[in-house]
Amino acid sequence: MDTRQDDLRRDLDATLQARKELGKEYEDELVDSFMKRLDARLDARVERSVAQRMDDQEPRGYHDRHQRSRRLGWGKRSGNGLAVVSMVFGIPLTAIATNPANGGFGGLLVCWAGIVGVNFAAAFGERRNRADRRPRGDWD
């Protein structure tokens, strides 16, 4: 860290020395040149920091947790999780929808049509994703 500050201090001293030698008429160009070098150093430092954080972004246990959840059927690619959540939300939604003030039987039909539609769309999307990942043969 001290070497970077020393390099920056040397660049600044050199820029100030050049200003003394060249005069005020070159001040804008000298300042622009120094600022470009400073920007380049800052950009390199930020890129190194971002690269380091991206390397550290995914913790070691991340894959283990997600593999375990997929084995249990609660992963991203499993329809069991959505089915359970649908049932958990379906029970109170049924009670709310069947209230005569909320539509009665019509509300019940709309509620469950939405739940079935969401589950159907999720299952169809999963099936489509699996078909897209399938290796294709010569006759496909």
Side-chain angles (χ1 to χ4, degrees), residues 45-64:
R45 189 173 180 185
V46 167
E47 286 176 9
R48 279 193 306 269
S49 177
V50 167
Q52 182 181 8
R53 287 185 184 198
M54 292 301 288
D55 290 342
D56 296 340
Q57 184 72 23
E58 198 170 275
R60 178 163 277 204
Y62 177 81
H63 290 294
D64 297 337

Side-chain angles (χ1 to χ4, degrees), residues 15 27 42 63 99 107 118 126 139:
T15 301
E27 185 173 329
L42 288 174
H63 290 294
N99 185 349
V118 166
E126 163 125 5
W139 57 84

Side-chain angles (χ1 to χ4, degrees), residues 1-69:
M1 192 71 161
D2 290 330
T3 58
R4 289 184 202 150
Q5 289 178 348
D6 291 340
D7 290 341
L8 186 61
R9 184 175 302 273
R10 273 187 254 128
D11 280 349
L12 181 59
D13 289 339
T15 301
L16 292 173
Q17 190 64 28
R19 182 195 175 270
K20 287 179 185 176
E21 292 176 9
L22 296 174
K24 285 193 173 199
E25 56 270 359
Y26 290 102
E27 185 173 329
D28 290 338
E29 289 82 8
L30 291 170
V31 170
D32 287 341
S33 173
F34 177 75
M35 291 304 292
K36 285 180 185 178
R37 288 192 306 264
L38 183 61
D39 281 343
R41 286 179 187 210
L42 288 174
D43 288 343
R45 189 173 180 185
V46 167
E47 286 176 9
R48 279 193 306 269
S49 177
V50 167
Q52 182 181 8
R53 287 185 184 198
M54 292 301 288
D55 290 342
D56 296 340
Q57 184 72 23
E58 198 170 275
R60 178 163 277 204
Y62 177 81
H63 290 294
D64 297 337
R65 283 193 309 266
H66 288 282
Q67 290 300 327
R68 184 173 56 238
S69 67

